């Protein structure tokens, strides 16, 4: 019993010098381990006479509780100490670079094109496509280009080499995505409501012209479609693309396959027309969005659509020009060189 | 097309305001691309009267010192290099120091006082070029008649200040290729009164016998020919106002006769020509088809062999002009000419266009004729030319004017009436316009309103608008005059329909996004490539462009790789050491000849003349991207991983790499993989073949990084991958058990077969087996490597596996690998 009292007296002090988990385990084992002092005393309990055994047992349990409590206190102290050490350690140099998976970028033309497509798809347009090589029938004839007319000079064409003596229609690289108008109307009866993106080709090469460039064509054909719908559609589009404050204007123009033909301009989103040296609008206050018009009745007829029953509008936008404006690209050829240092800047 | 605003004001007899005019023209379809104020720099220039002239005392150059009276008692001595300084009393133009004048290159500079050969000149006497009033650099301007000394130039000659508008005239608007037509359009758009200018009666006398002439039209390409003879005392220099007017429109004045023809062309849009009557053999002109052996020396000094189909003007012995394109040398007017034969004719637009094209002569005349000049204009233009020649050159008409017409010509028939329906106008424009508004708009444009019955009005289009042929063309005119800004924004009725002409847009877009997410940059390259780079790749194109911009861009690409590698090489030349590029684009197969009937069938099937395929091109070069660990060169498995993750992003499928078949010429035979997706050939990935690499580096002057990986896939094979085919699996309720094993195995056995053997042996509870390490080292037996493979076991349904079971399956798996491949456990 005296031994137990001595133990009880020493328990708390024995945990005080503990500085680590192994030390904690050793001190704990000194009391309650297989050969621990309390364990040894417990083992001797059967030797005691009945009445004493009960008292001794209660005392043992009290000492055991005391050891456990002291252990818990010590554990808590160690944890707090360790946490304080962790929190106080040398901070990370967070300016070291992150381990970043390489970011690949879509080409500026793709990004511009997808923004444009998404704006029209949100208005209910579906996406149509046609081949990049086509025949003069679809590129010119069915679109009502007058043969042997200066209108043909507006689109200087790349023709494909054909065997000598070939008699069929001439094959060419399409000069506009308007070929898809023809293909779409020939494929099914109205209503038609599509945008047709894609590469087109013209024999032109300077700072603002590339022999290959990207266009998107729009076509809506149904009963009761008027020029006011064209204006409303392109106005909505311009606001989606350039911002809600943008306004649009429509002015007369000429394309062989639309009548009336118009150009659509959007007010300059950058300066609103207030900056005479604006880099976006060059001081005019307006940006050309694209050419458009009501589908010429001859074109409808050529594609098997009754122009008395149906009317429609079409428009064409140059994606390269839009991308050049948006990303301030000084020369169109940069878009096709794919210099990584250029691509990575966008 | 340059337009003088002062001339427009003259024709309108009122100044509507520059801004209003610019806005109206632009909105009405004649876009004003540029507005230039000219002559504003002439404010301090004034008339000076020569008082005395003496030679420069020291200069070796022929310089003179001219004392001029500048009015109000001021006089000054200026140094002058011109040889045409008039005698005392003559009037010249003086620019004081501080004024701005043009140099010989056409840029303005400020005059400063500076010594010329030792004598300080406080200004200069100016030539046309220096003042921007004409093209004459040969001496100073000398006024024709006396003007008070000191009179400001802009007071004496107000047209010296003007505004020049640059109009973008679309091919459908030949009427806008003359000032009169532009003025007419402005009047219609702004609702101003408009009348064509009238001619003063000019002096006329009877023709003498030697002034008789005849005209005969043999070609049906010439519906109308107006002609007359006038006499002059010889050609002269035109007055300054005419020289300035032409100069501002971009034409240099020549002599009074030629200047008048240009004036008429810029006014009416109708080209005219003047012959020296005495150079016309037999005084007889014939418009006829060219003969096969004929030549014509044109005014530009070139001798041209005429072709079948050309239309010429000829005299009794020779050709004197290519109809509607250019006159001939030798029959034109020269300084000694006294008898003029005037021509104002109409020529068929497409005939002129063909001649101009094949003789490569784009002239002011052909530009107008091929767009369609008013066929009723020739007599009017002739009268106008006579008016100007009488006014400017003092010409007198001898005899009567001729107006010969081919009565059978379609161009000269009265135009068919067109019916325009009020309801149709509303349907097309989306705005209600009343019948009377329609009539007003069209009348302003020169249309004749013939009748009005219910919805329909019958109208006749004016002859100067050859582009108006149908009701829809009339509607466009109504819309233009009404104003497109008055057409409101209408919301589309919901009428969407699925596209009929379908392509692979969605798949291309998803593929691009997936590859960019794998760290590759997208490239967009030209569809045409050079034969040289194709040869580097041992490729040939099946389709060529008949009229390429250059031979470097003559072949349509049979593969994306040559162009893509060229793009990747651009930055490498500037020291870039890594390259990660992809392109999703079209490659071109063979051209298929079709008849017209087949063409329609092919079009309906949304096919074109050439087999087109969408391909995916891949280039990876240099080192792998990493940080704080050892630099590692890329290897083929980096590229293979890109393809695998592409497939995983698009849907699910098994990409199998093998070495079956002949590799493409660009693929390293020991480092290429044929990729199949669920049994279909997807494409090839490879280390660039050293031969191809060597040729490419030589032809492109570039050294590629040590490791250059390339690959090309057929997009259509990926089309089957779809989110739609995916099926969810509930997460298993029992834990997986994992066993790792290292196997020593001959390198001749593909790693995939080792994994395959293990899985076969391990049975159905083995749900996954993956290689996680590979070791090659000298201490291993020759030709072997060690593969560390992890096998994952999982019970079916809720079955819990025991260690004993899994150990048994592992034994079986190892036994199979040993048995079939001789693998041993390490
Ligand atoms: Zn702006």
């Amino acid at each position: 019993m005296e031994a137990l009292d001595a133990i009880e007296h020493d328990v708390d002090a024995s945990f005080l010098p503990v500085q680590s988990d192994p030390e904690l385990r050793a001190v704990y084992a000194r009391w309650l381990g297989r050969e621990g002092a309390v364990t040894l005393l417990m083992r001797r309990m059967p030797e005691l006479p009945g009445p004493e055994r009960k008292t001794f047992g209660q005392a043992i349990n009290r000492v055991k509780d005391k050891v456990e409590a002291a252990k818990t206190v010590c554990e808590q102290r160690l944890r707090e100490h360790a946490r304080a050490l962790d929190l106080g350690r040398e901070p990370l140099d967070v300016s070291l670079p992150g381990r970043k998976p390489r970011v690949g970028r879509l080409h500026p033309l793709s990004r511009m094109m997808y923004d444009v497509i998404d704006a029209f798809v949100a208005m209910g347009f579906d996406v149509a496509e046609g081949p990049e090589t086509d025949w003069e029938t679809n590129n010119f004839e069915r679109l009502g280009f007058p043969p042997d007319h200066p209108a043909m000079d507006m689109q200087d064409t790349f023709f494909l080499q054909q065997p000598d003596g070939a008699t069929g229609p001439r094959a060419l690289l399409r000069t506009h995505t308007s070929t898809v108008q023809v293909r779409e109307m020939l494929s099914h009866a109205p209503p038609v409501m599509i945008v047709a993106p894609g590469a087109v080709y013209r024999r032109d090469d300077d700072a603002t012209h590339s022999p290959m460039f990207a266009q998107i064509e729009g076509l809506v054909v149904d009963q009761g479609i008027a020029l006011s719908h064209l204006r409303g559609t392109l106005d909505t589009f311009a606001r989606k693309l350039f911002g809600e404050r943008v306004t649009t204007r429509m002015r007369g123009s000429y394309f062989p396959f639309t009548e009336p033909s118009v150009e659509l301009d959007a007010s300059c989103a950058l300066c609103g027309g207030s900056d005479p040296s604006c880099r976006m609008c060059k001081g005019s206050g307006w940006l050309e969005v694209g050419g458009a018009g009501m589908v010429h009745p001859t074109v409808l007829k050529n594609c098997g659509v009754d122009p008395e029953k149906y009317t429609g509008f079409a428009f064409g936008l140059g994606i390269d020009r839009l991308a050049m404006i948006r990303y301030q690209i000084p020369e169109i050829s940069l878009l096709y060189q794919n210099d990584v240092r250029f691509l990575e800047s966008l | 097309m340059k337009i003088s605003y002062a001339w427009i004001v003259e024709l309108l007899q009122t100044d509507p305001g520059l801004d209003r005019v610019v806005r109206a023209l632009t909105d009405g379809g004649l876009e004003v691309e540029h507005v230039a104020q000219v002559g504003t720099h002439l404010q301090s220039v004034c008339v000076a009267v020569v008082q005395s002239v003496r030679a420069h005392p020291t200069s070796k150059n022929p310089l003179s010192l001219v004392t001029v009276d500048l009015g109000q008692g001021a006089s000054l001595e200026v140094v002058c290099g011109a040889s045409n300084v008039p005698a005392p009393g003559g009037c010249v133009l003086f620019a004081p120091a501080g004024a701005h004048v043009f140099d010989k290159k056409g840029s303005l500079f400020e005059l400063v006082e500076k010594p010329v050969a030792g004598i300080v000149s406080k200004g200069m006497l100016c030539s046309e070029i220096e003042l921007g009033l004409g093209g004459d650099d040969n001496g100073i301007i000398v006024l024709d008649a006396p003007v008070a000394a000191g009179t400001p130039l802009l007071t004496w000659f107000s047209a010296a200040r003007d505004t020049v508008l640059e109009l973008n005239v679309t091919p459908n608007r030949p009427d806008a290729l003359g000032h009169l037509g532009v003025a007419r359009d402005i009047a219609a758009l702004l609702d101003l009164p408009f009348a064509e200018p009238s001619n003063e009666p000019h002096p006329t006398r009877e023709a003498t016998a030697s002034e008789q002439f005849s005209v005969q039209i043999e070609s049906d390409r010439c519906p109308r020919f107006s002609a007359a003879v006038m006499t002059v005392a010889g050609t002269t220099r035109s007055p300054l106002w005419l020289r300035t007017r032409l100069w501002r429109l971009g034409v240099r004045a020549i002599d009074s006769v030629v200047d008048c023809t240009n004036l008429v062309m810029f006014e009416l849009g109708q080209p005219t020509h003047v012959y020296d009557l005495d150079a016309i053999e037999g005084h007889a002109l014939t418009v006829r088809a060219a003969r096969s052996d004929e030549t014509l020396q044109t005014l530009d000094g070139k001798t041209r062999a005429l072709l079948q189909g050309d239309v010429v003007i000829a005299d009794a012995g020779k050709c004197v002009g290519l109809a509607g394109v250019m006159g001939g040398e030798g029959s034109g007017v020269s300084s000694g000419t006294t008898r003029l034969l005037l021509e104002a004719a109409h020529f068929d637009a497409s005939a002129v266009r063909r001649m101009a094209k094949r003789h490569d002569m784009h002239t002011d005349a052909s530009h107008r004729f091929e767009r369609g000049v008013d066929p009723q204009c020739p007599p009017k233009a002739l009268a106008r030319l006579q008016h100007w020649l009488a006014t400017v050159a003092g010409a007198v008409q001898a005899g009567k004017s001729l107006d010969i017409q081919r009565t059978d010509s379609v161009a000269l028939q009265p135009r068919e009436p067109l019916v325009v329906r009020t309801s149709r106008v509303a349907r097309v424009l989306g705005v209600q316009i009343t019948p009377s508004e329609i009539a007003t708009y069209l009348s302003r444009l020169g249309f004749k309103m013939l009748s009005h019955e219910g919805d329909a009005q019958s109208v006749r289009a004016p002859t100067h608008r050859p582009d108006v042929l149908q009701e829809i063309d009339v509607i466009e005119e109504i819309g233009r005059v009404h104003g497109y800004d008055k057409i409101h924004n209408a919301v589309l009725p919901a009428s969407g329909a699925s596209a009929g002409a379908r392509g692979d847009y969605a798949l291309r877009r998803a593929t691009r996004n997936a590859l960019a997410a794998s760290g590759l940059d997208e490239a967009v390259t030209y569809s045409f490539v050079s034969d040289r780079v194709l040869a580097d790749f041992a490729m040939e194109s099946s389709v060529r462009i008949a009229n390429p911009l250059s031979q470097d861009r003559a072949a349509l690409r049979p593969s994306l790789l040559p162009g893509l590698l060229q793009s990747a090489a651009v930055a490498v030349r500037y020291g870039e050491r890594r390259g990660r590029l992809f392109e999703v684009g079209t490659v071109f197969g063979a051209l298929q000849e079709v008849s017209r009937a087949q063409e329609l069938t092919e079009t309906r099937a949304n096919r074109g003349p050439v087999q087109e395929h969408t391909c995916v091109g891949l280039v990876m070069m240099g080192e792998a991207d990493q940080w704080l660990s050892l630099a590692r060169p890329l290897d083929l498995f980096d590229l293979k991983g890109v393809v695998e993750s592409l497939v995983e992003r698009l849907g699910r499928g098994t990409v199998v790499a093998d070495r079956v078949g002949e590799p493409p010429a660009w693929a390293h035979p020991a480092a290429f993989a044929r990729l199949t997706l669920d049994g279909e050939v997807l494409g090839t990935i490879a280390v660039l073949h050293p031969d191809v690499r060597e040729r490419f580096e030589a032809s492109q002057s570039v050294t590629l990084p040590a490791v250059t990986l390339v690959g090309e896939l057929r997009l259509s094979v990926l089309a089957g991958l779809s989110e739609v085919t995916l099926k969810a699996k509930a997460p298993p309720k029992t834990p997986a058990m994992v066993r790792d094993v290292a196997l020593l195995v001959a390198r001749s056995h593909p790693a995939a077969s080792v994994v395959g053997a293990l899985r076969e042996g391990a049975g159905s509870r083995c749900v996954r087996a993956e290689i996680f390490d590979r070791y090659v080292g000298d201490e291993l037996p020759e030709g072997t490597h060690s593969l560390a493979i992890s096998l994952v076991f999982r019970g079916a349904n809720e079955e819990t596996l025991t260690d004993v079971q899994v150990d048994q399956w592992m034994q079986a798996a190892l036994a199979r690998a040993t048995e079939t491949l001789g693998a041993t456990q390490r």
Side-chain angles (χ1 to χ4, degrees):
Chain A
M1 207 61 172
E2 299 81 50
L4 202 57
D5 287 343
I7 288 169
E8 190 173 5
H9 179 264
D10 288 349
V11 163
D12 285 339
S14 70
F15 280 98
L16 287 179
V18 166
Q19 293 298 335
S20 67
D21 283 346
E23 282 173 49
L24 173 66
R25 282 194 295 274
V27 173
Y28 180 77
R30 219 165 93 201
W31 307 121
L32 285 177
R34 206 184 276 261
E35 301 296 322
V38 180
T39 315
L40 292 177
L41 286 176
M42 267 161 63
R43 244 181 245 151
R44 282 169 56 197
M45 261 211 326
E47 298 165 16
L48 292 176
E52 255 180 75
R53 202 187 298 166
K54 191 180 172 195
T55 327
F56 189 72
Q58 286 167 343
I60 285 267
N61 278 340
R62 197 175 64 242
V63 173
K64 267 171 87 177
D65 287 349
K66 187 163 184 180
V67 172
E68 291 294 347
K71 181 190 171 217
T72 305
V73 169
C74 183
E75 278 171 348
Q76 176 71 17
R77 179 171 58 76
L78 287 181
R79 251 200 320 273
E80 281 169 9
H81 180 67
R83 175 68 48 89
L85 274 183
D86 178 38
L87 295 177
R89 70 178 173 182
E90 183 189 347
L92 283 177
D93 176 0
V94 294
S95 69
L96 287 168
R99 260 181 220 102
K100 158 187 90 161
R102 188 175 189 282
V103 174
R105 288 167 175 80
L106 291 194
H107 195 277
L109 286 175
S110 292
R111 280 144 71 179
M112 193 70 236
M113 180 70 95
Y114 290 147
D115 280 2
V116 170
I117 292 176
D118 290 348
F120 284 113
V121 167
M123 288 186 254
F125 285 75
D126 197 8
V127 179
E129 288 174 297
E132 293 174 33
T133 56
D134 214 317
W135 292 281
E136 56 189 336
T137 43
N138 295 323
N139 200 79
F140 294 122
E141 285 173 23
R142 293 187 180 108
L143 288 170
F145 274 74
D148 231 353
H149 188 270
M152 300 283 279
D153 296 342
M154 292 164 84
Q155 306 192 352
D156 209 349
T157 310
F158 286 117
F159 288 96
L160 301 182
Q161 266 184 15
Q162 276 171 289
D164 290 341
T167 54
R170 282 191 296 175
L172 44 76
L173 285 169
R174 64 177 175 190
T175 59
H176 45 200
T177 40
S178 309
T179 51
V180 186
Q181 281 189 35
V182 175
R183 291 172 170 272
E184 180 67 18
M185 283 190 277
L186 284 175
S187 76
H188 67 97
V192 167
M193 192 167 168
I194 54 131
V195 283
V200 299
Y201 305 83
R202 290 185 201 170
R203 291 188 81 247
D204 243 339
D205 197 3
D206 59 39
T208 52
H209 296 92
S210 164
M212 170 174 145
F213 56 104
Q215 252 190 1
I216 186 166
E217 188 85 2
L219 176 70
V220 175
V221 180
D222 201 353
Q223 296 184 29
I225 300 294
L227 192 62
S228 51
H229 294 116
L230 166 65
R231 180 157 192 199
T233 303
L234 290 182
D235 186 83
T236 307
F237 163 74
R239 282 183 289 112
K240 275 176 190 283
L241 199 72
F242 299 119
E244 278 303 318
R245 281 181 309 164
V246 159
T247 57
T248 52
R249 72 169 184 187
M250 209 160 63
R251 54 188 169 84
S253 189
Y254 169 73
F255 306 102
F257 42 100
T258 51
E259 188 90 25
S261 298
V262 295
E263 290 279 348
L264 191 95
D265 297 343
S267 63
C268 178
L270 198 67
C271 76
S274 62
D275 178 4
S277 57
C278 175
R279 60 170 167 77
M280 211 155 161
C281 67
K282 308 260 172 350
S284 72
W286 295 100
L287 298 174
E288 281 181 30
V289 174
M294 297 301 291
V295 182
H296 200 292
T298 306
V299 178
L300 292 175
K301 238 178 280 173
N302 289 346
C303 298
V305 176
D306 177 1
E308 281 299 315
K309 187 172 176 196
Y310 294 103
T311 46
F313 67 73
F315 56 84
L317 314 177
I319 298 300
D320 301 65
R321 221 180 50 78
L322 289 174
M324 286 171 78
I325 293 170
R326 175 187 274 188
Y327 300 113
Q328 297 179 52
I329 298 169
E331 258 186 56
I332 196 167
S333 60
L334 282 171
L335 285 169
Y336 298 91
Q337 281 163 6
N338 305 294
D339 188 325
V340 181
R341 298 164 302 160
F342 165 78
L343 295 177
E344 281 182 346
S345 69
L346 292 173
Chain B
M1 168 80 188
K2 284 193 163 82
I3 293 291
S4 153
Y5 186 68
W7 198 353
I8 292 291
V9 169
E10 210 175 291
L11 288 164
L12 289 173
Q13 298 181 324
T14 177
D15 182 353
L18 179 65
D19 289 349
R20 266 180 90 206
V21 167
V22 168
R23 177 82 205 266
L25 286 173
T26 298
D27 288 357
L30 295 171
E31 187 192 357
V32 179
E33 291 184 317
H34 189 66
V35 177
Q37 305 290 344
V38 295
T40 46
H41 62 103
L42 296 172
Q43 236 132 23
S44 57
V45 177
C46 68
V47 175
V49 178
V50 175
Q51 289 178 320
S52 62
V53 184
R54 65 184 175 110
H56 192 287
T58 54
S59 171
K60 272 175 267 159
N61 295 323
L63 290 178
S64 47
L65 299 175
V66 185
T67 306
V68 289
D69 176 5
L70 297 175
Q72 296 181 330
S75 74
L76 207 63
E77 191 175 56
V78 292
V79 182
C80 184
S83 57
N84 68 330
V85 177
C91 294
V92 293
L93 294 171
F94 171 76
H100 287 82
V101 297
F102 287 101
D103 64 15
K104 289 206 162 60
K105 285 176 191 143
S107 9
L108 277 178
F109 71 97
E110 189 185 332
L111 273 183
V112 288
E113 270 182 47
K114 63 168 187 212
V116 181
I119 294 181
V120 174
S121 188
K122 295 192 168 183
M124 68 188 281
L125 307 182
C126 299
S127 69
E128 284 183 357
I129 287 266
E130 283 155 350
L131 295 180
L133 296 176
D136 193 351
D137 194 24
N138 202 9
I140 56 173
I141 299 177
V142 179
L143 308 194
D144 298 334
V147 176
T151 310
L153 168 61
L154 294 178
T155 306
W156 166 69
F157 180 34
S158 61
R161 189 158 48 188
D162 196 357
T163 304
V164 177
L165 309 181
E166 185 75 47
L167 287 197
N168 175 13
V169 179
T170 50
N172 61 323
R173 291 295 304 276
D175 64 305
L177 294 172
H179 281 66
L180 188 75
V182 174
R184 185 193 293 114
D185 224 44
I186 294 169
L189 295 169
L190 293 178
D191 193 12
L192 302 171
F194 178 75
E196 294 192 10
S198 53
N199 301 322
E200 303 286 322
H202 57 266
T204 304
R205 59 170 171 77
E206 289 293 311
T208 63
S210 64
E211 288 163 353
Q212 302 290 341
F213 72 98
S214 68
V215 173
Q216 201 180 343
I217 303 179
E218 284 177 5
S219 167
D220 60 0
R221 300 300 176 171
C222 175
R224 191 164 199 171
F225 198 111
S226 300
V229 165
M230 291 185 100
T231 57
V232 288
T235 61
T236 54
R237 184 187 172 89
S238 296
L240 188 59
W241 71 265
L242 176 49
R243 297 175 63 83
T244 300
R245 176 162 284 180
L246 294 177
W247 179 249
R248 295 276 166 76
L249 298 177
V251 170
R252 190 182 283 262
I254 311 259
D255 61 47
S256 52
V257 173
V258 175
D259 293 351
C260 283
T261 61
N262 279 327
L263 190 65
V264 169
M265 183 178 70
F266 285 130
E267 186 174 33
L268 303 181
Q270 163 81 52
T272 59
H273 189 68
V274 178
Y275 303 93
D276 182 342
L277 180 64
D278 294 320
I280 301 299
E281 232 178 292
H283 288 197
L285 292 181
T286 307
V287 186
R288 59 164 171 82
R291 298 181 187 121
S292 56
D293 55 346
E294 275 181 312
T295 58
L296 171 67
Q297 195 181 8
T298 41
L299 277 172
D300 54 9
K302 289 183 185 150
T303 301
R304 297 168 191 274
L306 299 176
L307 304 162
Q308 199 180 1
D310 285 348
V311 181
V312 294
I313 324 289
D315 65 11
K318 61 184 184 298
C319 292
V320 295
L322 193 57
V325 183
M326 196 179 270
E329 184 80 49
S331 58
V333 176
S334 58
S335 59
T337 302
T338 55
R339 299 199 289 189
L340 312 173
L341 175 53
L342 284 54
E343 165 199 314
H346 186 78
F347 299 106
D348 178 67
S350 59
V352 172
R353 178 172 159 79
R354 277 196 295 271
M355 284 189 279
K357 273 214 140 168
R358 58 193 183 188
H359 290 291
D360 197 20
M361 281 194 288
H362 188 89
T363 62
D364 281 332
S366 72
H367 185 80
R368 285 168 174 79
F369 278 121
E370 64 183 57
R371 279 158 178 73
V373 174
D374 181 354
Q376 302 300 340
C377 198
K380 206 160 56 174
L382 183 72
R384 198 64 181 155
L385 181 58
Q386 289 169 328
H387 163 83
W388 287 122
L389 283 173
T391 312
V392 168
V396 175
Q397 183 170 356
K400 290 205 161 52
S401 303
L402 282 185
D403 179 24
I404 300 175
Q405 302 182 39
R406 278 187 75 107
T407 45
D408 59 340
S409 163
V410 181
L412 297 181
Q413 305 311 311
R415 301 195 66 179
E416 286 296 319
L418 300 171
V419 170
V420 56
R421 293 163 293 171
T422 309
S423 61
R424 183 75 181 171
V425 173
R427 274 185 69 193
V428 171
L429 299 179
V431 59
Q432 294 291 337
I433 300 179
T434 65
S436 68
E437 281 174 315
I438 291 174
T440 309
Y441 295 160
L442 293 177
S443 303
R444 281 195 228 153
L445 288 168
F447 285 67
K448 283 262 175 328
M449 306 308 293
L450 302 175
S451 63
H452 182 185
E453 215 170 300
D455 194 32
Q457 298 190 69
S458 177
V459 306
R460 179 170 284 132
T463 51
H464 59 259
R465 289 301 302 273
D467 59 310
V468 178
L469 298 166
Q470 303 179 25
E471 181 186 27
I472 193 70
D473 302 320
V474 182
I475 294 175
E476 177 171 59
E477 294 307 301
I478 295 165
R480 249 173 20 92
V481 180
H482 184 72
Y484 290 125
D485 56 342
K486 294 202 193 104
I487 290 171
H488 59 281
N489 292 324
V491 176
L492 267 183
S495 64
S498 287
R502 298 213 72 93
D504 51 9
Y505 159 74
L507 182 58
R508 262 187 284 139
R509 184 168 178 169
T511 301
R512 287 185 173 122
N513 286 336
L515 291 171
S518 291
L520 276 66
D521 289 327
E522 189 193 1
V524 174
T525 68
Y526 287 142
S527 295
F528 16 73
V529 290
S530 69
D531 290 313
R532 181 152 185 207
V533 75
L534 285 182
D536 293 345
F537 275 77
M539 290 176 180
E540 259 177 45
S541 96
S542 334
V543 215
R544 303 183 64 80
I545 296 173
N547 55 339
L549 274 175
S550 70
Q551 282 307 315
D552 266 4
R553 296 175 184 169
L556 288 193
R557 60 187 178 193
S559 157
L560 299 177
L561 290 180
L564 194 56
L565 197 61
Q566 278 180 306
S567 279
V570 173
V572 170
R573 271 189 217 103
Y574 289 93
E576 188 73 29
R577 284 160 49 219
R578 291 174 193 190
R580 308 276 189 279
L581 280 185
F582 76 91
E583 178 167 19
V584 179
T586 306
V587 302
F588 301 86
L591 181 115
Q592 172 202 5
E593 277 295 320
V594 295
S595 67
R596 289 213 155 234
Q598 288 166 321
E599 180 272 317
L600 186 58
T601 314
E602 293 292 295
T603 293
R604 283 187 195 281
N606 205 20
R607 286 191 293 263
V610 170
Q611 290 173 346
E612 296 181 19
H613 304 283
T614 310
C615 282
V616 181
L618 301 162
V619 171
M620 293 178 82
M621 303 188 301
E623 285 174 349
D625 302 290
Q626 49 204 332
W627 176 68
L628 297 183
S629 53
L630 278 179
R632 166 180 79 77
L634 288 168
D635 60 34
L636 193 59
F637 302 100
D638 290 293
L639 187 52
K640 186 182 175 192
V642 167
V643 178
E644 286 168 332
S645 53
L646 167 65
V647 167
E648 199 164 329
R649 268 177 218 276
L650 294 178
R652 290 286 190 281
T654 313
V655 178
V656 174
D658 58 34
R659 290 154 41 73
V660 175
E662 189 70 15
W666 45 265
H668 192 300
F672 86 96
R674 182 189 76 151
L675 302 179
T676 53
L677 175 65
D678 300 326
E680 236 188 305
V681 178
L682 175 59
T684 303
I685 55 169
V687 167
L688 186 63
H689 194 293
D691 293 348
V692 174
R693 179 196 176 93
E694 196 175 280
R695 290 195 295 260
F696 181 86
E697 288 183 332
S699 83
Q700 303 293 316
S701 320
V702 69
T703 305
L704 297 174
V707 178
T708 298
L709 305 167
V710 289
E712 190 162 39
L713 314 174
R714 273 286 166 97
L715 194 75
S716 59
V717 179
L718 298 169
L721 300 174
S722 161
E723 292 276 313
V724 177
T725 61
L726 299 184
K727 204 171 128 197
K729 277 187 204 144
K733 297 206 169 62
T734 52
M737 298 185 65
V738 182
R739 292 286 191 279
D740 293 344
V741 64
L743 288 180
L744 192 67
V745 64
R747 291 204 295 265
S748 55
H749 296 302
S753 66
V754 179
V755 174
L758 286 173
R759 283 201 67 168
E760 268 172 43
S764 64
R765 302 304 199 286
C766 176
V767 293
R768 210 162 67 222
E770 274 170 1
I771 298 173
F772 65 91
D773 195 17
R774 172 173 181 263
Y775 177 76
V776 187
D778 288 344
E779 71 275 28
L780 298 183
E782 175 100 10
T784 67
H785 59 175
S786 167
L787 296 174
I789 302 168
S790 160
L791 287 84
V792 180
F793 294 87
R794 200 190 296 280
N797 303 321
E798 305 206 355
E799 172 196 22
T800 306
L801 304 182
T802 64
D803 280 333
V804 178
Q805 285 175 302
V806 173
D807 288 344
Q808 278 172 5
W809 293 326
M810 269 313 283
Q811 287 308 320
L814 290 170
R816 176 63 65 97
T818 308
E819 186 183 307
T820 55
L821 305 168
T824 53
Q825 201 174 349
R826 279 184 84 214

